[in-house]
Amino acid sequence: MIITRTPFRVSFFGGGTDYPAWFAEHGGAVIGTTIDKYCYITIRELPKFFEHNYRIVYSVVETVQKIEQIQHPSVRTTLTHFGVKSGLEIHHDGDLPARAGLGSSSSFTVGLVQALRALNGRISSPKYLASKAINIEQNLLKEAVGSQDQIWAAYGGTNLINFRPDGTFHVEPLIISNERKSDLESHLMLFFTGQNRFAVEFAQNQLDNLANNVDDLHAIRKLVNVAHNCLTDPQADLGDFGRLLDEGWLRKRRLGEGVTNSSIDDLYKKAKGAGAVGGKLLGAGGGGFFLLFVEPDKQQSVRNALQGLVEVPIKISSPGSKVMVYDPVSSEECNMMSE
């Protein structure tokens, strides 16, 4: 049995510039962090006496004979890509809801690749995991997704990620003192809007409108450098980080239809009226989690204003995808043990 643990992420600035269609021409960059909320993948080879060859457990349970019969797109495509022959049982568990703007789909793919490789006795570097997951999602599944989520999931940490026109990327860990990190954590509030959505639908709309969003995307890219200085300079006013989030959200909401809606706008208006400095909807838009930057003495007021929404406490800068349990047992050994 193999169990992998892969973090979810919070993207602060630069979202939209990580799409290949954009950075192939302009370059791109994002800044953000992984958090202490995770996706867990459990995988084991199935003994041959089961009636099915593959059992996939997530929000539904699939039991099938052939890989091509698996309905879960990422599982089906990843198993096919790796040429899996033996029967497998795969379980997925997550600390937070899927389709909520935290990069959960890419965390799943990275965690699955990590687990499959470990099952075959192979160690995977963060670069391998990120590159493989990007290839699976963008080229094999043909999904309208960017390239940041897979990197966060694989590498973990609080980073600035640069995307080069040639398709390569560079991960730069941010040098932040423990005091500064704790100060940032104390200002962040994460609320679930209660609205799940399929990010690719909104992402595709943004991709279709790239030509109309050039100015906003360049401005969003510039915020990355300003935020970098704000976080790493101990003398900088951390409140500027919240004001940058506000500016970034005003830019992001113009990138495509469906990024925001009247209920999300009302949520943000209430939060700011109660004392939030700034914030943003995480992911491509349409729902999911809202991140807010709030001075500690105003946080109860914000909770009261957003009464009814679930608040999720978070810690930042969690490690990347890891193998938590490594106990490989072949199907032949399982058969022997069952006799």
Side-chain angles (χ1 to χ4, degrees), residues 10-51:
V10 168
S11 179
F12 294 136
F13 301 99
T17 71
D18 64 311
Y19 291 116
W22 173 264
F23 67 69
E25 181 176 354
H26 306 279
V30 295
I31 196 168
T33 186
T34 47
I35 59 175
D36 62 339
K37 300 296 182 285
Y38 304 93
C39 157
Y40 298 88
I41 301 292
T42 303
I43 188 170
R44 72 181 183 108
E45 290 192 1
L46 274 181
K48 294 180 179 178
F49 53 76
F50 283 100
E51 293 183 359

Side-chain angles (χ1 to χ4, degrees), residues 269-276 294 298-299 301-306:
K269 182 178 179 180
K270 288 180 179 178
K272 290 201 69 178
V294 188
K298 301 288 182 63
Q299 292 185 3
S301 176
V302 170
R303 290 188 185 97
N304 294 338
L306 302 182

